[in-house]
Amino acid sequence: MAMIDLYSKRRSRELHGVPDVYTYDSFSDNFRVQLSMLIDDLLGDSDAYERTRGANEAYNTIVSLLKKEYGVRSLSVIRYSSAYAELHYFIDNEPTVDKCLDAVELSYRIGDLVARKPQYYPTFKTDAHDYVDSCITELNARFKEAGYGYELVEMALMRIDSEFMHIEAVKPAIQLLNFDGFEAARIEFFGAYEHYRHKRYKEALVDAAKCFESTCKVILTANGWTYTTRDGASKLIEILVRENFLPALHRSQLTSIQSLLSSGIPTLRNNLGGHGDGPTVVEVSQETVAYGLHLTAAAIVFLGSIHQQRTA
């Protein structure tokens, strides 16, 4: 769907510039209305819900899954006669942003599965696949326009702390983890960001470290280099250095990166997330976790790019 660059938007940019600091913990009423409209565009409006089997099943599935995951009989204190009305009321009124995002993410996941079929829509769409892609593009554009730090990437909502790091490290890391053999690392990478979005910071660090170690092990296995299942990140990096994973002229750079990673991801995990807290609960700051995730993504891009060049 097309976004219209209204005069009021242009004037706001002239006066205030483009938002460069994202917010996360609250959505305006206007933005929630936009989210509802975006889901209408993707899955169908109330008329489509009443008239078409596809839209009816999609909305019913989304609401049923949310209720089951939350362990509730209804998504609100008001009992609605249709899943369509219940979902949209939930998006408009749910005070917890994370739960609102749950509904949005699940709606797009279901839409990605069912709405790419031309026969899904009341009027047959020969361009259904492109249409769904455009719906996803608009969702991400709306987040950015409103200054909310989220983006739907491969049907998972991810929190964006730094747009530069997101574009230069996180997205390329996801692309590399799509290759055969990296399935476990990919699950751990998305798991880390899912924990991060829900403020489970220690768990996010643990999954980030697992993802990095899994990436190293995939590269070592692909090259026939021996390691043990108990080897941690520092040992895995040591093997990569010993096996001349880079040409000799780059050894100093790799050694520097080894030092950075050895004191970065693994240390964060060991000191903050990987062991029991003992008598005192260890608090992990959001900034620390963001650093750990960005470091993980950058390391994956670095190692994965070298691996691709060597196997090309």
Side-chain angles (χ1 to χ4, degrees):
M1 302 294 289
M3 292 177 62
I4 301 175
D5 194 19
L6 299 173
Y7 168 79
S8 59
K9 293 183 182 180
R10 301 194 302 274
R11 183 59 177 161
S12 178
R13 291 198 299 270
E14 290 174 6
L15 294 175
H16 310 294
V18 178
D20 57 358
V21 177
Y22 291 126
T23 57
Y24 307 94
D25 298 328
S26 64
F27 288 159
S28 69
D29 292 339
N30 299 99
F31 186 68
R32 287 174 179 267
V33 170
Q34 286 182 322
L35 289 175
S36 285
M37 290 179 171
L38 290 169
I39 291 173
D40 271 353
D41 289 339
L42 175 66
L43 297 177
D45 58 16
S46 58
D47 185 55
Y49 175 80
E50 296 293 336
R51 293 194 300 112
T52 63
R53 180 178 177 181
N56 185 282
E57 290 180 347
Y59 279 106
N60 286 342
T61 298
I62 294 163
V63 170
S64 294
L65 288 172
L66 288 173
K67 288 178 181 178
K68 187 173 183 180
E69 291 304 314
Y70 295 150
V72 297
R73 298 294 183 185
S74 175
L75 293 180
S76 71
V77 294
I78 302 173
R79 294 298 180 97
Y80 285 92
S81 59
S82 74
Y84 174 88
E86 188 168 8
L87 178 67
H88 284 281
Y89 181 88
F90 183 76
I91 291 171
D92 286 343
N93 296 279
E94 169 54 44
T96 306
V97 165
D98 276 356
K99 288 188 175 181
C100 178
L101 291 174
D102 286 343
V104 173
E105 181 183 79
L106 187 56
S107 296
Y108 276 78
R109 285 185 178 181
I110 296 297
D112 187 59
L113 291 174
V114 302
R116 293 189 183 276
K117 302 173 183 176
Q119 64 271 23
Y120 172 83
Y121 294 97
T123 55
F124 192 88
K125 283 186 180 293
T126 56
D127 62 343
H129 190 86
D130 292 337
Y131 179 78
V132 171
D133 286 342
S134 72
C135 289
I136 295 169
T137 298
E138 183 178 357
L139 173 67
N140 289 332
R142 295 289 182 185
F143 275 125
K144 185 173 183 178
E145 179 183 64
Y148 297 123
Y150 299 98
E151 182 175 3
L152 188 70
V153 181
E154 298 194 19
M155 295 305 113
L157 277 169
M158 304 187 76
R159 172 171 164 150
I160 302 172
D161 290 276
S162 163
E163 187 168 0
F164 176 81
M165 287 299 299
H166 187 70
I167 293 172
E168 297 297 325
V170 176
K171 281 189 170 181
I174 292 171
Q175 292 174 354
L176 286 165
L177 294 176
N178 278 331
F179 286 99
D180 291 341
F182 289 90
E183 292 81 5
R186 174 185 166 81
I187 291 171
E188 289 157 352
F189 188 81
F190 275 103
Y193 273 88
E194 182 70 7
H195 286 311
Y196 180 53
R197 183 165 74 83
H198 289 283
K199 300 180 175 63
R200 299 188 292 265
Y201 293 147
K202 293 181 188 179
E203 292 87 346
L205 283 179
V206 171
D207 271 5
K210 287 180 180 177
C211 176
F212 174 71
E213 291 175 2
S214 294
T215 300
C216 290
K217 289 177 180 179
V218 171
I219 293 171
L220 291 170
T221 299
N223 286 279
W225 296 329
T226 304
Y227 65 92
T228 71
T229 56
R230 291 183 297 178
D231 285 342
S234 296
K235 179 63 176 178
L236 297 172
I237 296 167
E238 180 185 322
I239 299 170
L240 290 173
V241 173
R242 186 185 69 216
E243 296 292 347
N244 295 313
F245 187 60
L246 280 181
L249 64 97
H250 294 302
R251 180 178 292 276
S252 61
Q253 290 95 325
L254 184 56
T255 302
S256 297
I257 291 170
Q258 175 190 357
S259 176
L260 176 64
L261 295 177
S262 296
S263 62
I265 302 166
T267 302
L268 286 173
R269 187 272 307 272
N270 292 337
N271 290 343
L272 298 176
H275 302 295
D277 288 334
T280 303
V281 177
V282 178
E283 296 295 334
V284 186
S285 71
Q286 177 266 322
E287 293 80 9
T288 298
V289 180
Y291 165 73
L293 293 179
H294 291 154
L295 186 59
T296 303
I300 290 170
V301 172
F302 177 74
L303 294 173
S305 297
I306 298 168
H307 179 62
Q308 280 188 316
Q309 291 174 10
R310 290 172 61 96
T311 55

